[in-house]
Amino acid sequence: MKATPAAAPRPSRSRVRTTSIAAFVVLAALVPTTAAATGTQEVETELPYVCALPSGQLPATVRVSAEFPERARAGEAFTPSGVTTTVRLPAEAVADLAAPDAAEVRAATRLDVGVAQNTATATATWRGTAEPVALPETGPLTLVATGDVPSVAGRGDGDLTFSAGALAIDLALGAAEGAATDAATADPGSLTVDCTLAEEAPERGLLATVPVGTGAPGASGAPSSPDPAGTSGASGASGAPDDGQPDGTGEPRPEGQSERSPKVLENGGAPDRDDVPPCRYDEQHPPTDVSLNAYITGYANVNKMKGAAYLPPSCVLIEQGLPEPGPPDPDYLIFDTVSYADLHYEERKQTPPFEATFLSFDFAPVKATMVMEQTGPMRIDSRMKIRLSDFTTITDTYVRAPLVLRVLDLEVNGTPLDVGSGCRTRTSLTSKDPDPAHFPGDHLVLYGRGEQTVGLPATGYLLLSGGALSGEMSVPAFTGCGSDGEDLDRLLTASVSGPGNFVKQVQGQTCAIAAPVFPSPENEGQCTEDLQPYEIPVAER
């Protein structure tokens, strides 16, 4: 089934987001977690918040922990590491989440962090994802979210302060195991909880102070500028007037930042186009009027290694399905969409080869070159719900991808080991499917949610503009590894294979081949001139 191509170019990506994209993550080798380097300060701050829930305004406790440098030079970018946001919601909040067949909750957090230096301010968003947790029968609910955060650079000498501000918590409920579910969804409900810093919060939510410059003072304290935690919106800045001119660094200031505001760099910046594989349709893969392409990247936890593995940007080609009416609901208009996609690298359904290093059994350095291979259809099920009361749109996406991990080369402690030509996981990476009756077999499952209120930009994951998806997977045992009588299956299985590995993938803005949107003063770039995805996404932990 094919859709009619759009009659006009799509609007900018902040206004157009719907359905879903095929997605996957790789379980690569691990870059192990290391202890904090000398010259860092460990911060752990517990703050009172007030959260808006259906039952009313309820108190909550938020604990933020992270590592910052003890001191930085002017213009030197650094990234807070080990960032963890722990939210404790009261028992009354758990009652608000009660729903038929609900057994667990997935959470994603968005914490506004005000960054101030002297009289200049900016705002960074610290995003985190929590592993699914069971809903408690009694007592409070504790959610622990982790993730990468933007880099920051002070523009000159003076203390750089970080202060917690507004917090949003996206909650998605999961059905109890064995509960009957509809074919397209197993979603008992969802809720976005908006929280504000309580008035009695100590030092107006101050998290950390980093002296910048050789003569910068080192004393901690609340920023002398207007409260950065109170800023909101895209700019999140106050202080000196914004005249739109470049600052002392020679770079144009982002819209809304005051003169010489601390510079916030989301995830350190995207890779250069020369560092990613081509992502375009060709004679062997001709596009249709519903064809899209996009880059994807991500991380996966490796529990046995106590760390995370990185997947560099890879190409995926998508055939978007047509929405069909879903089950009747008195409060919503519901539409279901099924789309399909393929990995694409040198005419094969796989990622490009990538190299990673990890520590096996905490002491033996191992370097491996690997690819992820698609072994069957990659299916995307999206359910879009339009709330009749205010026309807010909520889209839930489940991506099911059969993927095996193949090892091409292996080096242990500097010594090459011949893994042969058939070293791979026995089966696909596997996840607990929310609807196993309709989707049997071994495959990875990732979930994403997007939401859009009329007149406001969309948030979360949606097809056209991308976003983050997450899930949990088991890594099967390895087979076919070794040559000349040397069996390496047990080494790889003991080092990597096992359950409960949290994964998070980020998809970039798609390029719609039938109606490409090129960069212009009126539109953000969605396609390059040769119809490749314009955006190269950055992985988030």
Side-chain angles (χ1 to χ4, degrees):
M1 184 177 294
K2 299 292 187 289
T4 303
R10 296 177 296 175
S12 66
R13 54 182 291 195
S14 65
R15 297 294 180 189
V16 185
R17 291 183 169 186
T18 182
T19 68
S20 164
I21 186 176
F24 72 101
V25 296
V26 62
L27 175 69
L30 160 75
V31 178
T33 304
T34 58
T38 303
T40 63
Q41 52 173 316
E42 297 182 0
V43 173
E44 184 168 324
T45 306
E46 188 167 285
L47 298 168
Y49 273 75
V50 178
C51 298
L53 287 124
S55 59
Q57 301 286 325
L58 296 176
T61 301
V62 177
R63 186 171 67 253
V64 180
S65 58
E67 294 176 358
F68 294 83
E70 290 184 346
R71 180 178 294 275
R73 291 189 294 270
E76 177 186 40
F78 64 86
T79 307
S81 62
V83 176
T84 302
T85 303
T86 303
V87 182
R88 189 173 184 267
L89 297 173
E92 296 89 337
V94 179
D96 286 328
L97 302 179
D101 299 327
E104 66 177 24
V105 61
R106 297 174 180 266
T109 59
R110 288 170 280 131
L111 177 65
D112 287 344
V113 174
V115 186
Q117 186 180 42
N118 301 320
T119 60
T121 63
T123 297
T125 300
W126 287 9
R127 300 178 184 272
T129 305
E131 297 194 23
V133 297
L135 283 173
E137 295 183 2
T138 59
L141 172 65
T142 300
L143 305 167
V144 182
T146 58
D148 285 343
V149 302
S151 300
V152 175
R155 298 292 196 176
D157 290 355
D159 282 354
L160 194 64
T161 61
F162 296 77
S163 301
L167 172 68
I169 312 169
D170 298 318
L171 302 171
L173 300 179
E177 185 174 2
T181 58
D182 190 89
T185 185
D187 176 27
S190 62
L191 180 67
T192 295
V193 178
D194 293 316
C195 304
T196 56
L197 190 68
E199 292 183 358
E200 66 271 20
E203 297 187 271
R204 302 161 73 184
L206 180 67
L207 300 175
T209 300
V210 178
V212 176
T214 55
S220 298
S224 58
S225 60
D227 183 13
T231 61
S232 61
S235 63
S238 60
D242 185 3
D243 59 6
Q245 298 302 313
D247 57 26
T249 66
E251 299 173 348
R253 288 200 304 276
E255 181 181 355
Q257 281 198 0
S258 57
E259 184 174 3
R260 300 187 63 80
S261 293
K263 186 177 181 181
V264 178
L265 308 171
E266 289 291 340
N267 292 303
D272 292 332
R273 186 163 297 276
D274 291 341
D275 297 329
V276 301
C279 188
R280 61 170 67 91
Y281 288 85
D282 51 35
E283 293 182 359
Q284 288 73 32
H285 301 81
T288 69
D289 54 1
V290 292
S291 292
L292 310 169
N293 53 359
Y295 283 109
I296 53 177
T297 185
Y299 285 98
N301 283 355
V302 184
N303 287 346
K304 287 186 175 180
M305 301 293 184
K306 302 176 183 179
Y310 169 64
L311 169 68
S314 299
C315 175
V316 64
L317 306 180
I318 311 111
E319 289 295 299
Q320 185 182 8
L322 286 176
E324 297 184 356
D329 188 297
D331 299 319
Y332 293 89
L333 289 176
I334 298 178
F335 298 93
D336 292 330
T337 304
V338 178
S339 304
Y340 292 91
D342 289 324
L343 305 180
H344 185 64
Y345 176 74
E346 294 185 350
E347 306 303 328
R348 296 190 293 271
K349 296 180 182 180
Q350 66 172 57
T351 67
F354 54 93
E355 186 179 276
T357 302
F358 64 95
L359 289 181
S360 180
F361 307 111
D362 292 332
F363 68 89
V366 176
K367 183 169 68 174
T369 302
M370 298 158 289
V371 298
M372 291 298 302
E373 293 183 348
Q374 181 179 336
T375 60
M378 193 181 296
R379 173 173 171 142
I380 316 101
D381 289 274
S382 300
R383 170 159 289 181
M384 182 173 63
K385 301 165 64 176
I386 304 173
R387 191 159 55 212
L388 297 176
S389 59
D390 58 4
F391 296 103
T392 294
T393 301
I394 301 169
T395 303
D396 292 297
T397 297
Y398 288 91
V399 177
R400 295 171 170 92
L403 300 165
V404 298
L405 173 64
R406 181 180 293 275
V407 181
L408 304 180
D409 294 294
L410 187 66
E411 185 178 290
V412 178
N413 203 24
T415 302
L417 299 180
D418 189 355
V419 296
S421 60
C423 182
R424 60 187 288 271
T425 52
R426 289 184 182 273
T427 64
S428 169
L429 306 176
T430 59
S431 302
K432 177 183 175 183
D433 198 296
D435 190 8
H438 291 89
F439 301 101
D442 296 322
H443 52 265
L444 176 70
V445 180
L446 296 178
Y447 169 78
R449 159 163 291 200
E451 183 169 339
Q452 183 166 22
T453 301
V454 175
L456 297 176
T459 60
Y461 175 81
L462 296 165
L463 171 60
L464 297 181
S465 51
L469 302 106
S470 61
E472 188 174 286
M473 69 177 178
S474 294
V475 181
F478 285 79
T479 185
C481 304
S483 63
D484 298 328
E486 185 176 20
D487 186 355
L488 301 177
D489 293 349
R490 294 174 63 184
L491 170 65
L492 288 168
T493 299
S495 301
V496 176
S497 301
N501 301 288
F502 180 72
V503 296
K504 185 174 183 180
Q505 179 189 288
V506 178
Q507 174 219 313
Q509 166 77 43
T510 59
C511 169
I513 306 302
V517 175
F518 303 112
S520 72
E522 293 77 27
N523 290 303
E524 296 183 38
Q526 297 177 6
C527 304
T528 63
E529 291 296 328
D530 58 350
L531 299 182
Q532 296 192 71
Y534 186 83
E535 181 182 359
I536 302 172
V538 177
E540 300 175 1
R541 293 184 187 272

